[in-house]
Amino acid sequence: MSDDKLRIVEWSTGTVGKHAIAGILARPDMELVGVWVSSDAKDGKDVGEICGTGTLGVSATQDKAALIALKPDCVVHTAMTDADPFGALDLFEEFLAAGINVVSSGPVFLQYPHGVIPDDMLEKLTKAAAASDASLHVNGIDPGFANDVLPLVLTSLSQRIDQVRVSEIADYSTYLQVFVNNELFGFGKPVDDVPYLFSPGILSLAWGSVVRIIAAGLDVTLDEPLEESVEFAEAERDYDTVSGPVPQGTRCAVRFQVIGKVDGEARVVLEHVTRTHAEQRPDWPQPAGGGGCYRVEVTGEPMMTLDFQHHGEHGDHNVSGMITTAMRLVNSVDAVVAAEPGLVTALDLMHVTGRGLVTR
């Protein structure tokens, strides 16, 4: 990398985007040159006014072409992609074709898309990247660091690996993501009203990348297809969350797994235990402390459990979850800019794992 600062465009000023902006401003090797926003109300405003950081001299805009014309070194993309993941792919292709590197928090299947999405869909992105010498990296905290780099580094201590289980165990009552909580997870809705996320095969699209990247890092071939399990909990009383009410008798919590087997044995498991109050389903796995944690369990020799906890300096675990997601992206920018053109995964940003040690 040259002595010049990396010129960055931030794509959104939402719950993750505002923390990404703070992170970009904190990096002495980066310059914030542009910011995209989705709403008319924010268009034209100083970004510092939107984020509460004081005047920055950078105006937010909805003009995509103007931001591309800035020719930034990288776009840090933190806009919501859950509602239209394939539209995001078209946007990334446009960035890459213009020679702009991209780090993004979604769509989550791009964390490790091999075996998750059709090859031709990925090929459009890799061709655009190769033609312009640009790279794309999708990561965050989950899917991301907590269940790709963290477990794979832990396996470097293994002598034998029987199973790797990675879990998010969290209370989402303070997680300000209305679409995720109400539409994806269906909290506050009838228990028998099954959201699209829990239709057969969709969990494997959303979190299958986690199972597949761990398997790839450990050099094992998974049985196909991946297996899924889902269990819902019904609210025994009314609850209030920042994303809306969860009335008595509605869905209040969910526990799901995406399971990767090798010769019929579960070897890599992704698990989520998501509550809207800490008191719900005490029989399900509990966080090590506070409102949430990420847990890595490696069964074998030796037996290892790692609980990764975080909380914001002025907020709870859901606030710091947004910060860690943002900063995993911001702090990856220089490596992604320097990488060979194409898709960059966590496997390209780490080197030592327990490769070859999974029980056969």
Side-chain angles (χ1 to χ4, degrees), residues 22 73 97 228:
D73 294 294
E228 303 170 354

Side-chain angles (χ1 to χ4, degrees), residues 107-191:
V108 293
F109 52 70
L110 284 180
Q111 177 214 17
Y112 191 77
H114 307 290
V116 181
I117 63 173
D119 290 342
D120 59 346
M121 193 176 294
L122 182 59
E123 187 178 6
K124 291 178 63 179
L125 294 173
T126 55
K127 279 186 174 180
S132 63
D133 196 26
S135 298
L136 166 67
H137 178 55
V138 174
N139 210 259
I141 192 68
D142 175 14
F145 176 84
N147 45 39
D148 53 29
V149 172
L150 196 61
L152 286 171
V153 169
L154 191 63
T155 65
S156 70
L157 306 178
S158 294
Q159 187 179 81
R160 188 190 78 246
I161 300 168
D162 296 333
Q163 185 184 95
V164 177
R165 177 181 293 265
V166 291
S167 306
E168 179 189 89
I169 308 168
D171 173 4
Y172 271 26
S173 62
T174 59
Y175 184 40
L176 185 55
Q177 288 284 4
V178 175
F179 179 80
V180 171
N181 280 312
N182 298 352
E183 301 304 323
L184 289 185
F185 285 89
F187 294 142
K189 296 187 176 183
V191 177

Side-chain angles (χ1 to χ4, degrees), residues 91-350:
L91 180 63
F92 295 169
E93 184 182 359
E94 190 172 355
F95 291 151
L96 294 170
I100 301 170
N101 298 281
V102 182
V103 296
S104 180
S105 57
V108 293
F109 52 70
L110 284 180
Q111 177 214 17
Y112 191 77
H114 307 290
V116 181
I117 63 173
D119 290 342
D120 59 346
M121 193 176 294
L122 182 59
E123 187 178 6
K124 291 178 63 179
L125 294 173
T126 55
K127 279 186 174 180
S132 63
D133 196 26
S135 298
L136 166 67
H137 178 55
V138 174
N139 210 259
I141 192 68
D142 175 14
F145 176 84
N147 45 39
D148 53 29
V149 172
L150 196 61
L152 286 171
V153 169
L154 191 63
T155 65
S156 70
L157 306 178
S158 294
Q159 187 179 81
R160 188 190 78 246
I161 300 168
D162 296 333
Q163 185 184 95
V164 177
R165 177 181 293 265
V166 291
S167 306
E168 179 189 89
I169 308 168
D171 173 4
Y172 271 26
S173 62
T174 59
Y175 184 40
L176 185 55
Q177 288 284 4
V178 175
F179 179 80
V180 171
N181 280 312
N182 298 352
E183 301 304 323
L184 289 185
F185 285 89
F187 294 142
K189 296 187 176 183
V191 177
D192 58 1
D193 180 10
V194 179
Y196 179 69
L197 178 63
F198 302 116
S199 301
I202 303 304
L203 284 174
S204 292
L205 177 64
W207 276 277
S209 63
V210 169
V211 174
R212 293 184 184 280
I213 196 170
I214 293 174
L218 297 176
D219 197 25
V220 295
T221 301
L222 299 173
D223 301 343
E224 296 293 345
L226 302 180
E227 296 186 7
E228 303 170 354
S229 69
V230 183
E231 186 177 358
F232 299 130
E234 184 176 320
E236 296 181 355
R237 64 175 180 87
D238 292 344
Y239 295 97
D240 289 318
T241 79
V242 296
S243 293
V246 178
Q248 181 179 1
T250 66
R251 182 182 297 107
C252 67
V254 61
R255 181 183 185 183
F256 67 79
Q257 296 181 344
V258 180
I259 304 163
K261 292 186 174 181
V262 179
D263 297 329
E265 296 290 334
R267 297 301 187 195
V268 183
V269 180
L270 175 284
E271 180 171 48
H272 264 232
V273 178
T274 309
R275 301 175 170 92
T276 53
H277 192 283
E279 72 184 14
Q280 297 159 356
R281 290 305 300 257
D283 55 315
W284 287 356
Q286 298 286 342
C293 78
Y294 293 99
R295 179 169 294 158
V296 180
E297 299 168 273
V298 181
T299 306
E301 185 62 45
M303 310 286 283
M304 295 183 285
T305 299
L306 175 65
D307 283 320
F308 168 36
Q309 299 172 252
H310 55 77
H311 60 84
E313 182 180 12
H314 303 293
D316 67 4
H317 61 286
N318 286 314
V319 172
S320 57
M322 300 300 99
I323 297 172
T324 53
T325 295
M327 293 315 300
R328 182 62 186 171
L329 298 175
V330 172
N331 291 328
S332 298
V333 165
D334 53 351
V336 173
V337 170
E340 293 296 316
L343 180 71
V344 178
T345 75
L347 297 181
D348 302 305
L349 303 179
M350 61 177 299

Side-chain angles (χ1 to χ4, degrees), residues 29-80:
D29 57 344
M30 295 182 185
E31 178 186 4
L32 182 69
V33 298
V35 174
W36 179 88
V37 288
S38 60
S39 71
D40 293 339
K42 294 179 180 180
D43 191 18
K45 285 190 175 181
D46 187 275
V47 173
E49 179 186 348
I50 296 171
C51 297
T53 60
T55 302
L56 294 178
V58 177
S59 296
T61 182
Q62 293 178 290
D63 189 341
K64 177 180 66 175
L67 292 171
I68 291 175
L70 291 173
K71 299 185 183 299
D73 294 294
C74 190
V75 167
V76 177
H77 181 280
T78 56
M80 171 70 73

